Amino acid sequence: MGRTQNPITTTNPHRRRIAQMLRELMNASGLTFQQLADRCDGISRPTLQRAATGDCTPKEKTLRAFATGCGFPEAADALLRLRIRARIEERGLLAELGTALHPSLISDWRDLSRAIEYLYEAAGAPSFREVQDKSSNKHALSISTLRRIILRLTTPVDEKQLLAIVHGCGVTDQDHLWSAAWAKVTSTAVPVAPEEDPALRPIRRVRGVPDEPSLLSRRPGALSRTFGGRSKRISFLQFQSHLSDFSEPLPHIVTTEAG
């Protein structure tokens, strides 16, 4: 099996569990990292080794390949759930967005925009490319448009684009709810152009992060956005999120409607 691996030192509990599970899969398979890499198309040995250190959160495709290569493809689901929780933990932004807004409670464009952002963060803030790949409608959702929607610089242009984002964030069984929300919003209000709303107007971008710009809001109390851990945020609402048990449902959306 080669050299003994270094201890896992991460303080992120979900990332630690990922590393532990990957090492258990390796031990059960009896493979070396090079042998495992030979079974994982497009995944290099260093990438597989790094995934098992706990020093970073592995990509989804790495975890799937790791589990399948070790002969335990059924372990991928648990690993991916842990990955989402690890991402939520390391970003620390989900709790600042407040409680999830059920689609049936969305009443205007601001509600819709906030619900989309919550959905994205609850999915572990996947890369824009990952969201597009899972959207089931790549033609309706370009990377640049998705970026602007997630950053709340603009809103979806139609129902197809909205559903593409919802699907890309891993929610595929609530189309009727989001379609109803879209119908409500488009029948009662006209979206405000980003340049006309000072709360959504960007005043600064972080250099060197072209795909994940940091934006600051002009209006006190609005959100200051951050990607890559560059800045703090001011939230609309504060709440405590307890996500230690990865077997519990992920916080994609509140599943009960207001009575």
Side-chain angles (χ1 to χ4, degrees), residues 58 65 92 95 106 123 140 160 178-179 196 208 226 239 243 249 258:
I106 294 173
K160 289 182 178 179
W178 289 95
S179 293
E196 297 175 3
T226 178
F239 83 122
L243 303 173

Side-chain angles (χ1 to χ4, degrees), residues 111-166:
D111 284 348
L112 180 64
S113 185
R114 186 169 72 87
I116 291 173
E117 184 178 22
Y118 188 99
L119 203 65
Y120 174 77
E121 288 295 334
S127 71
F128 297 138
R129 178 69 64 184
E130 288 177 317
V131 175
Q132 186 192 52
D133 289 343
K134 294 180 179 179
S135 68
S136 71
N137 193 348
K138 293 184 180 181
H139 299 294
L141 193 63
S142 69
I143 297 296
S144 59
T145 298
L146 175 60
R147 181 190 301 118
R148 289 175 59 80
I149 292 173
I150 296 300
L151 292 174
R152 295 172 70 179
L153 293 174
T154 189
T155 54
V157 297
D158 55 30
E159 182 181 340
K160 289 182 178 179
Q161 195 170 75
L162 171 62
L163 292 179
I165 296 172
V166 173

Side-chain angles (χ1 to χ4, degrees), residues 77-131:
D77 287 344
L79 287 167
L80 295 182
R81 293 175 71 84
L82 282 168
R83 180 186 183 276
I84 291 175
R85 296 192 180 283
R87 287 283 291 160
I88 292 173
E89 175 79 14
E90 67 190 28
R91 288 173 65 81
L93 305 181
L94 186 64
E96 297 185 3
L97 292 176
T99 54
L101 189 64
H102 192 277
S104 66
L105 301 179
I106 294 173
S107 60
D108 55 30
W109 291 97
R110 188 175 295 276
D111 284 348
L112 180 64
S113 185
R114 186 169 72 87
I116 291 173
E117 184 178 22
Y118 188 99
L119 203 65
Y120 174 77
E121 288 295 334
S127 71
F128 297 138
R129 178 69 64 184
E130 288 177 317
V131 175

Side-chain angles (χ1 to χ4, degrees), residues 137-216:
N137 193 348
K138 293 184 180 181
H139 299 294
L141 193 63
S142 69
I143 297 296
S144 59
T145 298
L146 175 60
R147 181 190 301 118
R148 289 175 59 80
I149 292 173
I150 296 300
L151 292 174
R152 295 172 70 179
L153 293 174
T154 189
T155 54
V157 297
D158 55 30
E159 182 181 340
K160 289 182 178 179
Q161 195 170 75
L162 171 62
L163 292 179
I165 296 172
V166 173
H167 294 169
C169 290
V171 179
T172 59
D173 59 351
Q174 297 182 355
D175 285 13
H176 63 293
L177 295 175
W178 289 95
S179 293
W182 178 261
K184 182 190 299 184
V185 169
T186 54
S187 66
T188 59
V190 177
V192 178
E195 62 272 13
E196 297 175 3
D197 188 343
L200 299 179
R201 189 180 304 142
I203 62 175
R204 178 173 64 87
R205 286 182 181 272
V206 173
R207 293 183 178 180
V209 191
D211 289 335
E212 299 179 329
S214 175
L215 304 176
L216 295 178

Side-chain angles (χ1 to χ4, degrees), residues 216-247:
L216 295 178
S217 171
R218 293 179 181 272
R219 182 160 63 195
L223 289 176
S224 168
R225 312 193 178 287
T226 178
F227 286 83
R230 296 291 182 126
S231 64
K232 298 292 184 181
R233 294 167 63 95
I234 301 173
S235 62
F236 290 105
L237 299 171
Q238 297 289 331
F239 83 122
Q240 294 296 321
S241 178
H242 301 285
L243 303 173
S244 59
D245 183 2
F246 73 88
S247 64

